């Protein structure tokens, strides 16, 4: 028992940490999910004699556990929770309580032991396996939000295929399947998976209907935000001599950034843009419009928002840092910036650098599941007025970012360094509008706040027009 409890605690701790770093990986990782299974194993290890004489408690706990679980099913938004992790613990404990308190004569036990419930229980694993591809491909088949009829059809299809799978696959495998039949079945299954992989990765057969529909709605814009994200890293990758640079290493310097000199030997002022993935956007805005900033030359250094000591040492050792006249701090600042930033700025000032603090970019809370530009395009099937979209975006700003920027401005003033507002490049407060679309109608952001190449080019032009970058 003690070993199971120790493994439970370790798995839960790893689950919490992994979900914070990479929620999609944590969701599918057996390490992050093991504690949920271990909870059931711990419950099963409790000696039966300790389960006697709990009738009055069970009569109260079991219905409460059922009501709690049903409430969670109806109200939990897993996409907005740190799942799997601490928010999942009450659900797992309620499930354990429901099972542990089961006993003859109890209302909830009789309900869960009824014929329909037992039938669903028998199919549960097949239901779990089949629902995912059916709902996933169902959503891919159209850009429309699934309606009640779609959901009913998918649920019916899930039950039908699960019933067939239970009788011709699951039951024979568990009871009567010989070695030859098992080998043939496994071969067929592997071939089927390989076939689906080939269709999804090498062709557009499974998604071509949806892709064509999206292309018609989006017009000149790309509907694939992952592709837009990857494209936004290409200027840095090209400058780094083809070294792979992307979202995966956004919070650290590339080998080229740490060891090579990008600046030329001329009279221009050298500006080193420093920060995480949002510094990439700021660099793109300036570098892609470098003809509009003739007095400057630009380079970039990837740095985590916590400003770790080892990365700070890499920064100060980098040729671009030594040659820089101006350090443009442009990360997405975390909640601890008021403690972390002062020693960083003082160190740079001691090195003779002019330091400029760039505020956080505007972040938008979309009314739908997609980023706000995509939500608007799908909501109006590409026929909406993008000026209206920009007006809607103004009201969808994350207020905590504005509050953080106000404190950041005050901190920069207290430290005697220049503060530049990224907000002012994107939003016009007097007109109550934020540019999620350029005047040419191109998408400026591929998620909550990262800039597309077209967005960076537009915001860079705005910066040049407004003499945003100061000349000392």
């Amino acid at each position: 028992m003690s070993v199971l409890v120790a493994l439970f605690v370790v798995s839960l701790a790893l689950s919490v940490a992994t979900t914070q770093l990479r929620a999609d990986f944590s969701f599918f990782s057996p390490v992050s999910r093991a504690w949920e299974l271990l909870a059931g194993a711990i419950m099963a290890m409790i000696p039966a004699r300790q389960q006697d004489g709990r009738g009055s408690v069970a009569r109260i706990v079991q219905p409460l556990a059922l009501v709690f679980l049903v409430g969670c099913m109806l109200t939990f938004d897993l996409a907005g929770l740190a799942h799997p992790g601490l928010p999942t613990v009450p659900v797992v404990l309620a499930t354990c309580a429901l099972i542990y308190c089961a006993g003859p004569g109890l209302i909830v036990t009789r309900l869960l032991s009824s014929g329909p419930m037992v039938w669903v229980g028998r199919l549960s694993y097949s239901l779990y396996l089949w629902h995912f591809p059916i709902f996933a491909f169902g959503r891919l088949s159209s850009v429309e939000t699934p309606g009640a009829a779609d959901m009913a059809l998918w649920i019916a299809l899930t039950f039908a295929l699960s019933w067939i799978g239970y009788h011709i696959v699951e039951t024979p495998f568990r009871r009567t399947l010989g070695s030859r039949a098992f080998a043939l079945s496994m071969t067929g299954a592997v071939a089927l998976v390989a076939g689906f992989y080939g269709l999804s990765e090498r062709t557009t057969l499974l998604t071509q209907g949806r892709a064509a529909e999206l292309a018609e709605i989006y017009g000149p814009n790309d509907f694939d935000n992952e592709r837009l994200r990857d494209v936004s890293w290409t200027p840095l990758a090209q400058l780094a001599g083809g070294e792979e640079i992307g979202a995966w290493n956004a919070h650290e310097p590339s080998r080229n950034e740490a060891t090579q000199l990008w600046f030329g030997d001329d009279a221009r002022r050298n500006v080193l843009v420093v920060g995480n993935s949002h510094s990439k956007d700021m660099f793109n805005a300036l570098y892609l419009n470098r003809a509009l900033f003739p007095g400057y030359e630009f380079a970039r250094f990837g740095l985590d928002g916590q400003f770790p000591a080892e990365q700070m040492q890499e920064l100060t050792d980098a040729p671009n840092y030594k040659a820089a006249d101006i350090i443009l701090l442009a990360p997405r600042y975390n909640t601890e910036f008021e403690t972390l930033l002062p020693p960083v700025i003082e160190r740079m000032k001691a090195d003779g650098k002019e330091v400029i603090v760039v505020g956080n970019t505007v972040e938008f809370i979309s009314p739908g599941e997609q980023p706000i530009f995509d939500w608007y395009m799908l909501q109006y099937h590409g026929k909406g007025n993008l000026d209206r979209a920009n007006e809607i975006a103004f009201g969808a700003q994350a207020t905590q970012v504005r509050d953080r920027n106000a404190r950041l401005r005050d901190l920069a003033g207290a430290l005697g360094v220049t503060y530049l507002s990224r907000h002012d490049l994107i939003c016009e407060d007097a007109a109550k509008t934020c540019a999620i679309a350029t005047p040419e109608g191109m998408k400026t952001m591929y998620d909550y706040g990262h800039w597309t190449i077209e967005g960076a080019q537009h915001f860079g032009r705005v910066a040049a027009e407004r003499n945003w970058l100061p000349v000392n």
Side-chain angles (χ1 to χ4, degrees), residues 129-180:
L129 294 177
W130 276 109
H131 93 279
F132 188 85
I134 289 171
F135 277 71
F137 284 112
R139 287 190 173 93
L140 285 173
S141 65
S142 173
V143 298
E144 301 287 345
T145 300
D150 297 309
M151 291 292 185
L153 175 61
W154 299 346
I155 291 171
L157 185 58
T158 299
F159 271 95
L161 291 176
S162 298
W163 183 84
I164 294 171
Y166 175 78
H167 285 287
I168 71 172
V169 178
E170 187 176 338
T171 300
F173 258 73
R174 289 190 290 113
R175 295 179 182 173
T176 60
L177 199 64
S179 57
R180 179 179 175 82

Side-chain angles (χ1 to χ4, degrees), residues 137 140 190-209 211:
F137 284 112
L140 285 173
V190 170
L192 186 63
V193 171
F196 267 100
Y197 175 80
L199 286 174
S200 62
E201 291 295 316
R202 304 299 179 186
T203 74
T204 59
L205 186 63
L206 298 178
T207 58
Q208 60 185 3

Side-chain angles (χ1 to χ4, degrees), residues 55-397:
S56 59
V57 174
R59 291 178 191 278
I60 298 172
V61 171
Q62 203 182 31
L64 289 177
L66 180 61
V67 170
F68 177 79
L69 289 172
V70 172
C72 290
M73 293 177 197
L74 297 175
T75 62
F76 266 29
D77 176 18
L78 291 181
L81 296 173
H83 169 73
L86 293 178
T88 322
V89 172
V91 178
V92 173
L93 294 181
T95 304
C96 289
L98 187 70
I99 298 169
Y100 180 74
C101 291
L106 297 180
I107 295 175
V108 174
T109 301
R110 291 205 304 269
L111 172 65
L112 297 180
S113 301
S114 62
M117 288 294 184
V118 171
W119 183 73
V120 171
R122 284 185 182 141
L123 296 183
S124 60
Y125 190 62
S126 291
L127 290 168
Y128 168 73
L129 294 177
W130 276 109
H131 93 279
F132 188 85
I134 289 171
F135 277 71
F137 284 112
R139 287 190 173 93
L140 285 173
S141 65
S142 173
V143 298
E144 301 287 345
T145 300
D150 297 309
M151 291 292 185
L153 175 61
W154 299 346
I155 291 171
L157 185 58
T158 299
F159 271 95
L161 291 176
S162 298
W163 183 84
I164 294 171
Y166 175 78
H167 285 287
I168 71 172
V169 178
E170 187 176 338
T171 300
F173 258 73
R174 289 190 290 113
R175 295 179 182 173
T176 60
L177 199 64
S179 57
R180 179 179 175 82
F182 176 80
L184 289 173
S185 299
M186 291 302 296
T187 302
V190 170
L192 186 63
V193 171
F196 267 100
Y197 175 80
L199 286 174
S200 62
E201 291 295 316
R202 304 299 179 186
T203 74
T204 59
L205 186 63
L206 298 178
T207 58
Q208 60 185 3
R210 177 182 172 88
E213 194 174 352
L214 285 171
E216 183 177 352
I217 290 173
Y218 276 70
N221 282 289
D222 193 339
F223 57 81
D224 189 335
N225 285 321
E226 289 189 5
R227 184 161 55 221
L228 289 171
R229 177 201 63 198
D230 294 341
V231 168
S232 74
W233 288 95
T234 54
L236 282 172
Q238 291 169 356
L239 285 168
E243 180 184 351
E244 186 178 357
I245 301 177
W248 65 276
N249 62 350
H251 297 261
E252 60 188 52
S254 69
R255 184 174 62 256
N256 193 283
E257 290 172 346
T259 61
Q260 301 300 311
L261 179 65
W262 295 12
F263 298 122
D265 185 15
D266 55 34
R268 290 179 293 178
R269 303 197 76 200
N270 296 334
V271 179
L272 181 61
V273 184
V274 173
N276 50 30
S277 56
H278 291 275
S279 75
K280 171 263 299 180
D281 297 337
M282 195 73 254
F283 172 81
N284 284 345
L286 299 171
Y287 178 76
L288 296 175
N289 290 286
R290 56 192 179 277
L292 302 178
F293 300 95
Y296 296 94
E297 197 168 4
F298 303 101
R300 185 255 184 185
F301 189 94
L303 192 68
D304 186 88
Q306 293 283 346
F307 303 103
E310 64 274 13
Q311 286 190 4
M312 285 300 299
Q313 189 59 52
E314 283 187 274
L315 171 64
T316 56
D317 289 341
N320 283 331
Y321 179 84
K322 294 177 179 178
D325 301 300
I326 300 172
I327 305 298
L328 205 69
L329 290 172
R332 184 193 194 198
Y333 300 91
N334 63 30
T335 55
E336 301 172 341
F337 74 89
E338 287 163 309
T339 302
L340 297 170
L341 208 51
V344 170
I345 291 175
E346 293 300 338
R347 179 174 179 178
M348 291 174 175
K349 289 169 65 177
D351 290 336
K353 309 300 180 184
E354 180 184 343
V355 180
I356 297 176
V357 173
V358 180
N360 289 292
T361 190
V362 181
E363 297 182 16
F364 298 102
I365 301 173
S366 176
E369 295 181 1
Q370 305 86 4
I372 189 166
F373 178 94
D374 303 87
W375 167 82
Y376 187 84
M377 295 296 285
L378 295 173
Q379 186 83 358
Y380 294 95
H381 293 272
K383 297 180 173 62
N385 185 321
L386 290 179
D387 289 337
R388 175 57 184 153
N390 289 341
E391 292 172 0
I392 292 173
F394 183 84
Q397 297 176 69

